Amino acid sequence: MLKSLIIFAFLLLVKELQAGHFRPPFIFGRCNGLFFDTRFQRCCGTYVASYPRICCGTAGADLSTQLCCNNVAVTKSATATTCCGNTALDQNTQLCCNGIAVPKSATATTCCGNTALDQNTQLCCNGIAVPKSATATSCCGNTAIDGNTQICCNGVAVPKSATATSCCGNTAIDGNTQLCCNGVAIAKTGNQICCGGSVRDLWYGGCCGGRAIQYFGRLCCLWPNFWRCRV
C-alpha cells in the first residue's frame, strides 16, 4: 500500500512539473521544457550548458579547452588564446587580417588587406602589399611611384618633367603651355580658359557658371560678383 502511494505521489509530481504548476526552489530554472540548476548551468535556448561550458552555437563551448569564435566552438592552446574570425589566433606569431589568421615576422607586423606588411620594404596600395624603394615611396593605384620622376593621374603612374607637373586625364601637362579641357591637353595660343568643356579666349568674353558670356554690357551674377548685379 505504501509503495503504491509513493508511486502515485511521484507520478503526480511529474505530471505537475510537466504542466508547470509546481516550481522547484529558486535555484532552478526552465530551459526548453527542462529544469536546470542556475548555480552551475545556463540556458542556451534549445539546450543547457553545464559549467565550464558556455552557450556557443548548437552544443556550447568548454572554456577550459575552447574559445567561442563567431558562435563556433574552436580549440585553443597555451598561445592561441583569442579569436580571429572562426579560428583561434596566436598573437605571438600571427596577425588577424580581415578575419583571417596570417603569419607575421619581426618586421611584418601590420596588415595590408589579407596579408602581413613589412613597412620597411613595402607599401600598402589599395590593400595590396607592393615593394617600395628609396625613391618609390608613395602609392598610385596598385603600384609604388617615384614622386621625383612620376605623377599619379587617375590611378596611373605617368612620367613627369620639370615643366609637366600636373595631370590632364591620364597624361602629365605643362600648365604654362598647355590647357586641360575635358581631360584633353590643348596647346595654349593665347589668354584661354576652359569653359563648359570648350576652350574660351578671354579677349572675347568670360565664363559664368560653365557658360561662355560676352563682356559687352554683361556681368556674371555669381559669387563674388553678385553684389554688382541688379534685378
Side-chain angles (χ1 to χ4, degrees):
M1 182 66 178
L2 179 60
K3 184 177 180 181
S4 298
L5 288 175
I6 293 174
I7 293 174
F8 175 76
F10 175 76
L11 293 175
L12 182 62
L13 176 62
V14 170
K15 184 177 180 181
E16 290 296 309
L17 288 173
Q18 291 175 339
H21 297 155
F22 174 78
R23 291 184 178 274
F26 69 91
I27 60 172
F28 289 93
R30 294 192 68 178
C31 180
N32 197 30
L34 301 173
F35 287 104
F36 68 100
D37 190 331
T38 57
R39 296 172 300 174
F40 312 109
Q41 298 173 307
R42 63 187 68 194
C43 179
C44 302
T46 58
Y47 63 93
V48 173
S50 300
Y51 183 83
R53 301 187 72 82
I54 62 169
C55 298
C56 183
T58 58
D62 186 340
L63 286 180
S64 61
T65 59
Q66 295 175 308
L67 297 169
C68 186
C69 301
N70 286 344
N71 213 29
V72 176
V74 297
T75 303
K76 69 178 180 180
S77 67
T79 55
T81 57
T82 188
C83 290
C84 178
N86 295 341
T87 60
L89 180 77
D90 181 348
Q91 292 180 304
N92 297 313
T93 60
Q94 294 174 305
L95 292 171
C96 186
C97 300
N98 292 334
I100 301 172
V102 297
K104 73 175 181 179
S105 66
T107 55
T109 57
T110 188
C111 289
C112 178
N114 296 339
T115 60
L117 179 77
D118 182 348
Q119 292 180 304
N120 297 314
T121 60
Q122 295 174 305
L123 293 172
C124 186
C125 300
N126 288 342
I128 300 173
V130 297
K132 72 176 181 180
S133 66
T135 54
T137 57
S138 59
C139 290
C140 179
N142 297 338
T143 60
I145 65 168
D146 181 348
N148 296 314
T149 60
Q150 294 173 302
I151 188 171
C152 187
C153 299
N154 293 333
V156 178
V158 297
K160 74 175 183 178
S161 65
T163 55
T165 57
S166 58
C167 290
C168 181
N170 293 339
T171 60
I173 65 168
D174 180 349
N176 295 316
T177 61
Q178 293 175 296
L179 179 70
C180 185
C181 196
N182 262 9
V184 178
I186 302 170
K188 284 184 178 180
T189 57
N191 194 18
Q192 297 168 315
I193 61 169
C194 183
C195 182
S198 60
V199 179
R200 179 76 171 168
D201 194 321
L202 288 176
W203 288 110
Y204 302 103
C207 187
C208 182
R211 297 179 61 185
I213 62 171
Q214 299 292 332
Y215 278 142
F216 307 108
R218 301 191 66 181
L219 296 173
C220 183
C221 295
L222 297 175
W223 176 267
N225 298 321
F226 69 90
W227 62 273
R228 299 171 59 189
C229 302
R230 295 181 180 179
V231 179

